[in-house]
Amino acid sequence: MKVYSKQAQTNNQNMTAQPSVYILGFGAIGSLLGVHLQKYGGTKVTPLFRSLGRLSDFKTNDYEVSIKPLYDSSLEILTERFPDASCPENFKGKIDNLIVTCKTYQTADALRPFLPYLDNNSNIIMIQNGLGVSEVLKEQVFNGGDLKPNLFQGVIAHGIFQDSEIKNQYNHAGFVDCKISKLPENDNDIIETFADLEALKQNELIKMLNSLDRSLGVVHMTYQELLLGQLEKFLVNCCINSVTSIIDCMNGELANCAGPIFQSIIEEAINVFHTAYKPLFDYEDIYKGAKHGQLPKLNVAGRLNVTTMLENTMHVGCVVNGGNSSSMRQDVLNLRETEIDYINGYVVTLCKKFSLPESNAKVNRTIQELVKLRLKLNQTRKAGQ
């Protein structure tokens, strides 16, 4: 998609006042969104770091971040500066719009220092791998107090990883899309109408992200559409992120050999989904009972089945993002904690939550333990050098 050089001028001309957004977690995904929002969305972007030390590291590169589009060699490298980057120790101001892209297991602790700068009109969108973060925020952060900001969810399928030599450069290896939606206030009421979707179009954060409809393929959709896409992306992550980490390979190297293990992971997870996300699997009956044109039509059974998902995982994970090194593999290589408890481990969590037999998640539990073993092995080897 050769849109990089033209989109900025068009969008900036259409902006009457520059909106602003903060990004908590300025790694691969945060940098991709930040650079595109500032360059093509006419948005002032302020990265938020967890400590003064991390902010100081960011300053060493003159506040610059670059995105290299590996998926199309004809596209230029994008570079943007973010001189207003901040952290809890020196933050001042009010947060109207916040994108959270830090690691899933860090989210609650990373967000807490910034709670005084949020209010009930603030917009927060989580764009991360894995599942279960929204539940953690509702249970541990926004649990019974007066602060209840607007919560949104994003699902990003682009492949991007940090360059091994240029630390402030991220390599955009695969172009797919980014889905966004407002989270339901009640987890048991996941159905959103087209009228609900239309009412959100004027939300400032939604408008910002929608400005990247061409440069990053952002699509605003109903929550049930997003949930279906989120589960599809989750299954890809369950296969690609974990297996590339365990055997230490690029995504594309799995194209001709990983089918059997991928099938086992997917089949087990989908079986658990039928219980955990029953309203989604019952959606066809809900759609038939609604007024014509009120709800989007979704083929849940046609998309969330083993055959289709195996093909999708192979195509998106190993072909479109074949040149990508998964974020979990990058964490394991750099001796960092992983998000495995929110990916394959979340299938295990769902079994416990819905009182399903432990054996219903035996494959994903094994994958979860193998990722932890691989990380521990790498850490032990490093300590022994």
Side-chain angles (χ1 to χ4, degrees), residues 331-376:
D331 287 336
V332 170
L333 289 174
N334 289 285
L335 313 181
R336 299 187 295 253
E337 292 301 316
T338 74
E339 299 175 286
I340 191 64
D341 290 341
Y342 290 86
I343 302 181
N344 300 79
Y346 192 66
V347 179
V348 180
T349 299
L350 287 174
C351 277
K352 294 176 181 177
K353 180 177 179 180
F354 289 92
S355 301
L356 298 173
E358 289 186 3
S359 59
N360 285 25
K362 60 185 178 182
V363 174
N364 282 278
R365 181 185 294 105
T366 301
I367 294 292
Q368 178 187 19
E369 294 303 324
L370 284 173
V371 169
K372 293 183 178 183
L373 175 61
R374 180 74 211 206
L375 174 60
K376 188 64 177 178

Side-chain angles (χ1 to χ4, degrees), residues 176-368:
V176 188
D177 62 18
C178 179
K179 303 175 178 69
I180 58 174
S181 180
K182 192 175 190 302
L183 283 171
E185 295 183 10
N186 183 346
D187 292 337
N188 295 318
D189 184 13
I190 68 167
I191 306 304
E192 189 175 31
T193 67
F194 284 130
D196 297 327
L197 191 68
E198 185 68 24
L200 285 166
K201 282 187 176 180
Q202 297 308 309
N203 177 278
E204 188 174 47
L205 181 58
I206 293 296
K207 288 172 69 175
M208 283 183 209
L209 292 169
N210 273 340
S211 71
L212 306 183
D213 58 340
R214 291 180 61 216
S215 74
L216 285 181
V218 172
V219 183
H220 179 212
M221 56 183 56
T222 63
Y223 179 69
Q224 61 268 29
E225 291 175 287
L226 179 126
L227 179 59
L228 177 56
Q230 187 176 24
L231 294 181
E232 290 174 321
K233 174 62 165 40
F234 176 80
L235 291 171
V236 173
N237 286 342
C238 280
C239 295
I240 296 293
N241 288 29
S242 57
V243 177
T244 57
S245 302
I246 294 166
I247 63 177
D248 187 18
C249 69
M250 298 291 283
N251 293 10
E253 294 180 89
L254 297 175
N256 299 315
C257 57
I261 186 62
F262 284 2
Q263 180 168 333
S264 296
I265 292 169
I266 292 167
E267 185 171 13
E268 185 179 82
I270 289 178
N271 286 336
V272 174
F273 288 170
H274 275 275
T275 298
Y277 299 99
K278 188 175 184 300
L280 184 63
F281 285 91
D282 291 340
Y283 183 74
E284 186 174 354
D285 291 336
I286 298 171
Y287 176 81
K288 289 178 179 177
K291 292 181 180 179
H292 179 71
Q294 185 179 28
L295 299 174
K297 187 173 184 178
L298 295 177
N299 185 8
V300 178
R303 289 167 60 178
L304 279 183
N305 65 74
V306 178
T307 300
T308 302
M309 277 310 311
L310 181 58
E311 293 174 355
N312 184 45
T313 298
M314 286 296 190
H315 177 68
V316 174
C318 300
V319 179
V320 176
N321 287 303
N324 190 45
S325 176
S326 75
S327 59
M328 189 176 293
R329 179 185 181 233
Q330 291 299 111
D331 287 336
V332 170
L333 289 174
N334 289 285
L335 313 181
R336 299 187 295 253
E337 292 301 316
T338 74
E339 299 175 286
I340 191 64
D341 290 341
Y342 290 86
I343 302 181
N344 300 79
Y346 192 66
V347 179
V348 180
T349 299
L350 287 174
C351 277
K352 294 176 181 177
K353 180 177 179 180
F354 289 92
S355 301
L356 298 173
E358 289 186 3
S359 59
N360 285 25
K362 60 185 178 182
V363 174
N364 282 278
R365 181 185 294 105
T366 301
I367 294 292
Q368 178 187 19

Side-chain angles (χ1 to χ4, degrees), residues 134-195:
S134 61
E135 291 95 323
V136 170
L137 292 185
K138 291 176 181 178
E139 293 170 4
Q140 299 181 16
V141 180
F142 307 115
N143 53 346
D146 294 331
L147 181 59
K148 295 188 181 299
N150 302 308
L151 297 180
F152 297 81
Q153 181 71 57
V155 179
I156 191 164
H158 293 277
I160 185 161
F161 63 97
Q162 187 176 31
D163 191 88
S164 60
E165 297 180 359
I166 307 172
K167 295 304 180 183
N168 66 329
Q169 176 177 298
Y170 294 89
N171 298 319
H172 191 179
F175 188 103
V176 188
D177 62 18
C178 179
K179 303 175 178 69
I180 58 174
S181 180
K182 192 175 190 302
L183 283 171
E185 295 183 10
N186 183 346
D187 292 337
N188 295 318
D189 184 13
I190 68 167
I191 306 304
E192 189 175 31
T193 67
F194 284 130

Side-chain angles (χ1 to χ4, degrees), residues 4 35-36 39-40 65-70 72-80 163 166 168-171:
Y4 282 9
V35 167
H36 278 255
K39 192 170 191 69
Y40 300 140
V65 172
S66 296
I67 304 295
K68 184 177 182 179
L70 296 183
D72 188 338
S73 60
S74 70
L75 298 177
E76 61 186 17
I77 294 177
L78 307 179
T79 300
E80 287 290 309
D163 191 88
I166 307 172
N168 66 329
Q169 176 177 298
Y170 294 89
N171 298 319

